[in-house]
Amino acid sequence: MRKTLPVVLAILAIVVGLFLRTFSASPLPAPGPLTGAWPAATPPPGMSVVQLPTGVTHRSAAFAYRGGSFTDKRDFSMTSVLVKHPRGDLLVDTGFGRDVVAQLELMPLAFRAITSFDRGPSAAQQLDAAGYDRRGLRAILLTHAHWDHVSGLPEFPGTPVWVTAEEHRFIADGGMVTAVARSLAGVRYEEYAFDGGPYLGFARSHDVYGDGAITVVPAPGHTPGSVIVFLTLPGGKRYALVGDLAWQREGITEREERPWPLRSLADIDPSAVRDGLRHMAAVAARFPDMVLAPAHEARGFADMPRL
Ligand SMILES: [Zn+2]
Ligand SMILES: [Zn+2]
């Protein structure tokens, strides 16, 4: 017994050391530079964006990207984005809905154990309180179908929910990570295709209104049908709503993927996520004025107007 204890402790120390190493900085290889101008866009004068913050989860930088500190506390924003467009408004994701507490019960116990959050009014409640005319809402566009992005869908009965075919399938057969999406009754999904050509180095794209103002590109990896939404506003302001490709902006600016335990849990294809991070790093370097807005990055929404 006396002889085996040091051996056990040594093995334990090695295992803990190896585990902690998966949280250490390890930048992905730098991408080749992106060349060319921002794609042509003629956003209509009435177009604007508004953020609808619905709550936060309490995390740390270490949770989000390799090299992040455990002591660097970060509140992950749960923010829905209303894109106002004369041809029909879009809501990008919903953030927390009013039933999020009950919905969270459908998530794995281990996930619930590490998830504490604060919530505010849902996107629908905020829109209603502001007197927003829902007839102007053309659709809800999902960056992907995880619980914290779909939670508020039931509060928009009848509004089409735009998803890629891959994500629609994932909702049906994605196991526990799409259990919340599967549980929502009465959601009217509509699939769209990437019917447009290359966009900022992405092979395919979908230009929602044909004016270049709202362009969606495929960014699979976190989920099979994850997308990035690029917005070009009148006046030239640009946003990249990158969903959960990265949870905080350093994932892209420092090319740091999620630590091993987190990407094992959260990403369906970590290799594809790496490709997406490297590519978006090139886009961000080419267009430093573009606001990089991962769905849970409070700093990405800091300057976006509220209702
Ligand atoms: Zn996600
Ligand atoms: Zn998320």
Side-chain angles (χ1 to χ4, degrees):
M1 187 68 190
R2 274 193 191 155
K3 280 181 186 167
T4 55
L5 185 61
V7 174
V8 169
L9 288 176
I11 292 171
L12 199 62
I14 290 169
V15 169
V16 170
L18 287 172
F19 180 77
L20 289 176
R21 256 187 75 160
T22 68
F23 285 82
S24 62
S26 179
L28 300 168
L34 188 74
T35 56
W38 188 265
T42 51
M47 183 187 172
S48 62
V49 289
V50 173
Q51 62 163 311
L52 304 167
T54 65
V56 295
T57 52
H58 306 297
R59 305 287 191 199
S60 69
F63 186 92
Y65 60 94
R66 295 193 66 168
S69 166
F70 285 94
T71 59
D72 182 356
K73 297 298 177 197
R74 303 264 175 110
D75 278 348
F76 282 21
S77 61
M78 299 288 150
T79 301
S80 176
V81 175
L82 178 68
V83 183
K84 293 177 149 187
H85 191 289
R87 290 183 56 191
D89 298 346
L90 295 182
L91 203 60
V92 180
D93 294 338
T94 69
F96 288 161
R98 64 180 177 215
D99 297 327
V100 66
V101 173
Q103 291 165 350
L104 190 58
E105 292 296 313
L106 299 171
M107 296 296 287
L109 183 63
F111 180 78
R112 277 183 277 151
I114 57 168
T115 300
S116 72
F117 63 90
D118 292 325
R119 53 193 288 229
S122 68
Q125 288 169 328
Q126 292 179 54
L127 291 172
D128 291 345
Y132 176 79
D133 183 353
R134 291 201 190 194
R135 288 173 300 181
L137 187 61
R138 173 73 186 84
I140 298 169
L141 174 60
L142 294 180
T143 63
H144 65 297
H146 280 160
W147 71 290
D148 45 331
H149 302 257
V150 302
S151 169
L153 290 182
E155 294 163 65
F156 294 92
T159 303
V161 178
W162 288 350
V163 288
T164 60
E166 292 84 354
E167 201 68 359
H168 201 182
R169 267 199 301 278
F170 189 54
I171 291 169
D173 63 16
M176 291 192 87
V177 294
T178 50
V180 171
R182 233 174 1 264
S183 76
L184 307 176
V187 179
R188 208 176 104 207
Y189 291 108
E190 288 182 2
E191 295 181 7
Y192 62 92
F194 295 107
D195 44 10
Y199 187 94
L200 289 173
F202 291 89
R204 296 176 298 145
S205 63
H206 174 60
D207 182 347
V208 172
Y209 288 125
D211 56 10
I214 310 169
T215 304
V216 190
V217 300
H222 181 57
T223 67
S226 285
V227 300
I228 294 171
V229 184
F230 289 99
L231 304 175
T232 307
L233 301 188
K237 185 137 189 165
R238 298 153 177 164
Y239 288 93
L241 308 179
V242 306
D244 283 4
L245 175 66
W247 280 332
Q248 296 282 279
R249 65 162 61 132
E250 288 89 343
I252 291 167
T253 58
E254 297 182 13
R255 301 189 312 279
E256 291 286 5
E257 64 183 331
R258 277 178 268 276
W260 169 75
L262 284 314
R263 67 176 185 267
S264 301
L265 283 172
D267 297 333
I268 208 86
D269 182 351
S271 167
V273 171
R274 280 179 210 120
D275 292 344
L277 292 173
R278 294 181 65 227
H279 186 70
M280 277 309 295
V283 174
R286 174 73 184 85
F287 301 102
D289 292 340
M290 176 189 75
V291 179
L292 211 43
H296 305 310
E297 169 61 86
R299 293 166 295 179
F301 294 105
D303 296 330
M304 190 183 282
R306 299 179 181 228
L307 260 188

